[in-house]
């Protein structure tokens, strides 16, 4: 059988297996050519590949201006996260680019990321410069394996802009598409010159993976998500794919409504999230993603610790990149066995895995407080509080204020 015919038949059996699949897509065995060498712990970096927009939130002079700046940054980060491209090729692998792009062309651009192990870490930063102020740092930890949950923290401390969130996915198969319900939320905080802190609760949209029958899976966003500010401003973002709204793929309509005591008409922003959009107030361009993005800077693999994503998956990723799937499978098997052994040892010893940078809380107070304002469903969600114990960031004494607004007992973190 030729390579292409082989791919075609394994794709067909993959699709057949999807049709009867329930549960967690991370557990599903996909054909090798659809595997990405990048772990899901790297994905939170997409929130910030235009660090200027993240920093610019702090520069908004009014509550309205800041709410618009948050919306703009959010829309742009959709584009980055959903059109993920050369992340598979990070760094020095550019000689292999041909191999990947040719596969991408025949099989479509969407790939199945590596399913992180419990305790996996990913660190990186975007360096400081005049346009974006301070260094922007990222800390990611895989905080659960069954189900997979990833917690993350992005900070530009000089600007006082911080994002904390966690992300999980529930997947199902319906009408020929994979439906991905995102579970989790993010909280963005901005420290104002007045000393006050403004908060934004960000819920996440649904995703659909279309194009499966054609062998070229791609992502479409669906339904609605919200960004609720503690100042009362609320963004409602609706997504439509091909054949609805404007007939274009990747369309969205965002409505920014003022709090009840302010009487101005809402901003309506319409466009496609992978290109540009316009604001009804000014009919000026609202967002534009044609400017270059900046990939996160990550320490070279040789300098990384055992739990850091690119070090941990190095053998598997190399196998996938080079098309040596047997060696990828061997390395993957090793990692999985080691994980199973760890879990067995823990249950035998009556211990549990301890998280490194986050603490799980059953109820996120910010979600509950701000979620009420737009009747969030569900009314409460759990959360992960950042412990502030990473070298890339500030020592813990500087961070008690942050723990304070999360209204979490600080003594928990001072052991
Ligand atoms: C993870 C959280 C990010 C946004 C994001 C983008 C792409 C999503 C990913 C999330 C979760 C995993 C995902 C991926 C696209 C494809 C992949 C849904 C939500 C699935 C598991 C792979 C399916 C395999 C097909 C390509 C056949 O902020």
């Amino acid at each position: 059988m030729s390579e292409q015919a082989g791919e075609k038949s394994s794709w067909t059996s993959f699709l057949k297996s999807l049709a009867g699949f329930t549960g967690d897509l991370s557990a599903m065995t996909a054909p090798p050519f659809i595997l990405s060498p990048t772990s899901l712990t790297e994905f939170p970096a997409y929130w910030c590949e235009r660090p200027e927009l993240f920093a610019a939130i702090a520069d908004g002079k009014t509550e309205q201006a800041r709410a618009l700046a948050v919306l703009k940054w959010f829309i742009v980060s959709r584009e980055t996260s959903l059109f993920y491209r050369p992340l598979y090729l990070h760094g020095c692998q550019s000689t292999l680019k041909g191999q990947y792009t040719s596969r991408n062309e025949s099989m479509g651009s969407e790939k199945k990321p590596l399913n992180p192990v419990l305790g996996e870490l990913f660190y990186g930063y975007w360096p400081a410069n005049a346009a974006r102020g301070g260094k922007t740092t990222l800390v990611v930890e895989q905080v659960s394996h069954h189900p997979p949950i990833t917690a993350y923290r992005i900070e530009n401390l000089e600007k006082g802009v911080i994002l904390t969130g966690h992300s999980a996915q529930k997947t199902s198969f319906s009408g020929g598409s994979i439906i991905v319900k995102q579970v989790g939320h993010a909280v963005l905080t901005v420290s104002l010159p007045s000393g006050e802190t403004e908060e934004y609760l960000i819920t996440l949209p649904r995703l659909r993976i279309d194009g499966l029958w054609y062998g070229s899976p791609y992502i479409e966003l669906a339904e609605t998500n919200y960004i609720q500010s503690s100042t009362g401003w609320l963004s409602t973002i609706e997504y439509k794919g091909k054949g609805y709204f404007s007939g274009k793929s990747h369309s969205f309509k965002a409505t920014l409504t003022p709090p009840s005591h302010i009487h101005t008409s809402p901003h309506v922003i319409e466009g496609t999230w992978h290109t540009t959009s316009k604001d009804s107030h000014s009919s000026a361009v609202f967002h534009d993603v044609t400017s270059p993005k900046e990939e996160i800077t990550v320490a070279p693999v040789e300098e990384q610790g055992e739990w850091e994503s690119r070090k941990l998956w190095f053998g598997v990723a190399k196998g996938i990149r080079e098309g040596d799937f047997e060696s990828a499978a061997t390395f993957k098997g090793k990692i999985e066995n080691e994980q199973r052994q760890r879990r067995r040892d823990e249950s035998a010893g009556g211990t549990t895995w301890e998280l490194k940078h986050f603490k799980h809380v059953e109820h996120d107070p910010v979600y509950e407080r701000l979620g009420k304002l737009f009747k969030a469903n569900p009314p409460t969600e759990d959360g992960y509080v950042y412990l502030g114990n990473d070298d890339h960031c500030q020592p813990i004494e500087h961070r008690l204020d942050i723990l304070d607004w999360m209204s979490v007992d600080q003594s928990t973190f001072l052991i």
Side-chain angles (χ1 to χ4, degrees):
M1 198 157 38
S2 73
E3 194 188 331
Q4 266 202 336
E7 286 191 354
K8 205 171 161 200
S9 78
S10 63
W11 183 248
T12 312
S13 39
F14 172 62
L15 292 181
K16 280 191 192 139
S17 74
L18 273 182
F21 190 78
T22 51
D24 184 353
L25 204 61
S26 62
M28 140 160 300
T29 321
F33 54 79
I34 204 74
L35 299 180
S36 146
T38 304
S39 160
L40 265 183
T41 54
E42 296 207 18
F43 281 48
Y46 293 127
W47 282 107
C48 209
E49 286 194 319
R50 284 185 179 78
E52 300 64 38
L53 291 182
F54 188 66
I57 295 168
D59 301 333
K61 293 283 176 281
T62 61
E63 295 176 349
Q64 178 178 5
R66 288 187 295 272
L68 275 169
V70 172
L71 178 60
K72 186 187 228 173
W73 155 80
F74 175 83
I75 296 289
V76 169
S77 71
R78 294 311 81 195
E79 183 268 343
T80 355
S81 78
L82 300 176
F83 278 104
Y84 60 111
R85 32 16 12 186
L87 247 196
Y88 328 116
L89 311 165
H90 38 69
C92 51
Q93 264 72 38
S94 58
T95 48
L96 295 171
K97 190 171 166 169
Q99 225 189 101
Y100 288 102
T101 41
S102 59
R103 267 211 192 78
N104 274 2
E105 274 157 24
S106 62
M107 292 308 305
S109 58
E110 213 48 72
K111 303 246 176 173
K112 187 172 189 285
L114 298 170
N115 185 27
V117 305
L118 180 60
E120 185 173 327
L121 302 166
F122 183 67
Y123 303 113
Y125 66 93
W126 294 266
N129 71 21
R132 67 180 73 140
K135 180 180 182 183
T136 311
T137 53
L138 170 72
V139 177
V140 183
E141 180 170 358
Q142 189 67 16
V143 291
S144 168
H145 184 67
H146 286 302
I149 305 174
T150 311
Y152 53 87
R153 171 83 165 190
I154 299 177
E155 308 184 315
N156 183 334
L157 290 184
E158 197 188 298
K159 285 284 189 172
V161 186
I162 297 176
L163 181 77
T164 315
H166 68 281
S167 138
Q169 298 87 37
K170 277 202 177 123
T171 42
S172 56
F173 188 76
S174 164
S177 303
I178 296 174
I179 313 289
V180 182
K181 179 175 187 284
Q182 296 205 70
V183 184
H185 61 272
V187 172
L188 183 132
T189 59
V190 195
S191 309
L192 302 175
S194 65
E196 279 168 76
T197 302
E198 209 166 86
E199 298 162 328
Y200 293 82
L201 169 66
I202 304 172
T203 64
L204 303 165
R206 245 169 228 243
L207 255 80
R208 223 178 38 230
I209 302 173
D210 287 338
L212 291 171
W213 300 126
Y214 307 102
S216 54
Y218 68 93
I219 292 182
E220 190 57 273
L221 292 173
E223 300 185 21
T224 308
N225 83 295
Y226 301 91
I227 307 178
Q228 174 70 61
S229 168
S230 54
T231 62
W233 288 86
L234 171 68
S235 286
T236 304
I237 308 145
E238 293 170 83
Y239 303 90
K240 296 279 191 271
K242 220 182 253 167
Y244 298 89
F245 263 7
S246 67
K248 287 197 193 114
S249 302
H250 311 322
S251 298
F252 76 94
K253 179 172 161 186
T255 314
L256 178 66
T257 41
S260 52
H261 64 277
I262 296 180
H263 302 286
T264 117
S265 63
H267 286 260
V268 180
I269 291 139
E270 273 183 274
T272 53
W273 42 264
H274 64 308
T275 60
T276 61
S277 63
K278 281 192 173 166
D279 183 342
S280 60
H281 272 211
S282 55
S283 64
V285 170
F286 178 69
H287 95 288
D288 183 351
V289 285
T290 46
S291 67
K293 12 191 175 207
E294 179 177 330
E295 249 184 67
I296 190 162
T297 305
V298 180
V301 173
E302 313 80 67
E303 288 169 25
Q304 292 188 8
E306 296 303 311
W307 289 94
E308 286 186 62
S309 189
R310 291 186 191 176
K311 170 86 163 231
L312 188 116
W313 291 106
F314 186 79
V316 178
K318 186 166 185 282
I320 294 174
R321 285 202 188 89
E322 294 175 353
D324 183 352
F325 299 117
E326 229 164 274
S327 116
T330 312
F331 280 110
K332 189 161 172 273
K334 244 173 146 168
I335 295 173
E336 284 162 356
N337 284 337
E338 205 183 284
Q339 285 292 307
R340 274 192 283 271
Q341 189 56 45
R342 236 172 237 284
R343 302 288 89 84
R344 275 197 291 269
D345 292 349
E346 282 163 8
S347 62
T351 59
T352 49
W353 178 259
E354 266 182 53
L355 301 183
K356 189 167 177 186
H357 296 300
F358 294 89
K359 178 183 160 52
H360 183 233
V361 289
E362 280 305 329
H363 302 279
D364 181 337
V366 184
Y367 184 97
E368 289 183 354
R369 185 158 32 82
L370 297 186
K372 257 191 214 131
L373 302 176
F374 64 98
K375 299 192 178 65
N377 178 24
T380 180
E381 254 190 17
D382 62 348
Y384 289 86
V385 180
Y386 181 54
L387 301 180
N389 54 353
D390 175 60
D391 299 345
H392 298 79
C393 307
Q394 299 278 308
I396 191 148
E397 311 82 73
H398 295 280
R399 329 195 49 101
L400 294 178
D401 52 326
I402 294 160
L403 297 176
D404 193 37
W405 66 256
M406 283 293 290
S407 55
V408 171
D409 180 8
Q410 298 173 1
S411 58
T412 343
F413 306 112
L414 296 174
I415 10 144

